[in-house]
Amino acid sequence: VIRCRAAVAWAPGKLSVEEVEVAPPKAGEVRIKIVATGICHTDDHGLKGSLPNVEFPVIPGHEGAGIVESIGEGVTTVKPGDKVIPLCLPQCGECSFCQNPESNFCQKSHISEPQNLLPDKTSRFSCKGKQIHHFLWVSTFAEYTVVPEYTVAKIDAAAPLDKVCLFGCGFSTGYGAAINTAKVRPGSTCAVFGLGGVGLSVVMGCKAAGASRIIAVDINKDKFAKAKELGATDCINPRDFQKPIQEVLTEMTGQGVDYSFEAIGHADTMIAALASCNMSTGVCVMIGELDSGSEISIDPTLLLIGRTWKGTALGG
């Protein structure tokens, strides 16, 4: 058993750094020394209690990179000393989703099977004599964590862990939304709603795919310089206009963009993103998360003629 520090959420909104015990990995599991972690808005959703099926107390965090400390029986894909990224979306390789070449959404993921305990339904974390739950099987807000082997990606030994931790969710989610989910075509027009880490990664993906026009949308003008540095051709603030932003984007492009991406997580911007792509072949990708139980009302005519509305998990 390793004793180390971790940020424990005892209840919604109650987070404190504690000394925790991390048990050794069982069969098919890997114990990782976490070197670097990112902070994703999904962690905030979990801390607020607005992410479904999260159980407290819990150690949050799901963007991380580290070094394998030990492995359980039967583990073959990594060994102690390997640099790895633990992933919040597993790849068991056996379920029907994993075996479908068009899917990256394993059925063992949190939406279909809560990842509050490891697959054998026990925890490797304890604190002050109490069981602590896992978060998305990752829990990177701990100096050591234990994860199933099929949630670990081995990476190059020279990779800088403080940067590649963002591949665990944020960068992959945005970049992949453009490349894998939308499949942005060369010469197309794109609109990106929200210029946080995920939205900026969408901008990078659209540029890499060869989009001719990338319109970045945010109410914080301080983000525009970075967006342009990464490939945005236009930056607009919805508060600068008297009309809905979807009308502004339609006027800017003539008929609406070919691809739109919502990387904020608000119902009104999701509807605006859908309405801003063109009515015939436009594709809107939903990346942002709404609070658990939220509902969106849309005019079905938006979809009737040919628009496509898609969601994405970890960038497809």
Side-chain angles (χ1 to χ4, degrees):
V1 175
I2 289 177
R3 287 177 174 79
C4 65
R5 292 175 303 165
V8 178
W10 295 100
K14 295 184 178 179
L15 187 72
S16 59
V17 176
E18 309 281 358
E19 182 178 82
V20 300
E21 293 81 42
V22 184
K26 295 184 180 180
E29 298 175 356
V30 179
R31 185 159 63 180
I32 301 167
K33 178 183 180 181
I34 295 292
V35 175
T37 182
I39 300 175
C40 174
H41 209 97
T42 300
D43 300 311
D44 188 54
H45 279 294
L47 284 171
K48 290 190 301 185
S50 58
L51 193 69
N53 303 321
V54 174
E55 294 186 29
F56 295 86
V58 62
I59 298 174
H62 64 283
E63 285 182 344
I67 299 166
V68 175
E69 179 271 336
S70 58
I71 58 175
E73 180 186 347
V75 172
T76 59
T77 57
V78 295
K79 63 184 185 303
D82 283 347
K83 284 187 177 182
V84 294
I85 298 175
L87 298 164
C88 56
L89 202 61
Q91 194 75 21
C92 76
E94 299 173 354
C95 70
S96 62
F97 288 179
C98 283
Q99 293 182 1
N100 183 334
E102 296 185 357
S103 169
N104 79 314
F105 195 84
C106 178
Q107 285 176 304
K108 295 186 185 296
S109 66
H110 184 78
I111 300 300
S112 54
E113 182 180 306
Q115 298 166 321
N116 302 313
L117 297 170
L118 290 180
D120 71 349
K121 303 307 177 188
T122 62
S123 172
R124 301 295 165 268
F125 297 126
S126 59
C127 179
K128 300 176 181 176
K130 294 182 178 179
Q131 171 183 280
I132 308 297
H133 291 93
H134 294 249
F135 183 66
L136 306 182
W137 282 346
V138 182
S139 292
T140 57
F141 291 2
E143 292 178 313
Y144 287 85
T145 189
V146 178
V147 302
E149 178 182 15
Y150 49 72
T151 68
V152 176
K154 180 180 174 181
I155 59 172
D156 193 298
L161 296 177
D162 61 327
K163 295 183 174 60
V164 297
C165 67
L166 299 178
F167 279 74
C169 176
F171 173 76
S172 311
T173 297
Y175 190 87
I179 300 293
N180 299 325
T181 307
K183 295 180 172 62
V184 170
R185 296 188 312 275
S188 59
T189 57
C190 303
V192 182
F193 288 71
L195 300 176
V198 174
L200 291 174
S201 300
V202 176
V203 171
M204 295 167 72
C206 292
K207 181 182 179 182
S212 63
R213 194 173 187 187
I214 303 167
I215 305 169
V217 183
D218 203 294
I219 59 174
N220 183 352
K221 291 183 177 180
D222 293 342
K223 297 180 179 181
F224 290 171
K226 177 61 71 173
K228 287 193 173 180
E229 181 185 326
L230 295 175
T233 57
D234 307 77
C235 293
I236 59 175
N237 183 341
R239 292 177 175 170
D240 290 341
F241 302 93
Q242 299 297 315
K243 59 183 69 174
I245 193 64
Q246 55 264 41
E247 293 183 18
V248 174
L249 288 164
T250 300
E251 289 177 6
M252 288 175 69
T253 56
Q255 70 278 338
V257 296
D258 298 308
Y259 304 94
S260 62
F261 303 85
E262 202 276 359
I264 302 169
H266 290 163
D268 55 349
T269 46
M270 287 184 181
I271 295 168
L274 177 63
S276 68
C277 64
N278 79 68
M279 68 174 70
S280 175
T281 59
V283 175
C284 176
V285 180
M286 183 194 310
I287 311 171
E289 297 171 24
L290 291 171
D291 288 347
S292 177
S294 299
E295 294 184 355
I296 299 178
S297 297
I298 65 161
D299 179 350
T301 310
L302 286 171
L303 300 172
L304 188 65
I305 304 171
R307 283 185 183 90
T308 302
W309 200 11
K310 309 181 75 169
T312 187
L314 199 59

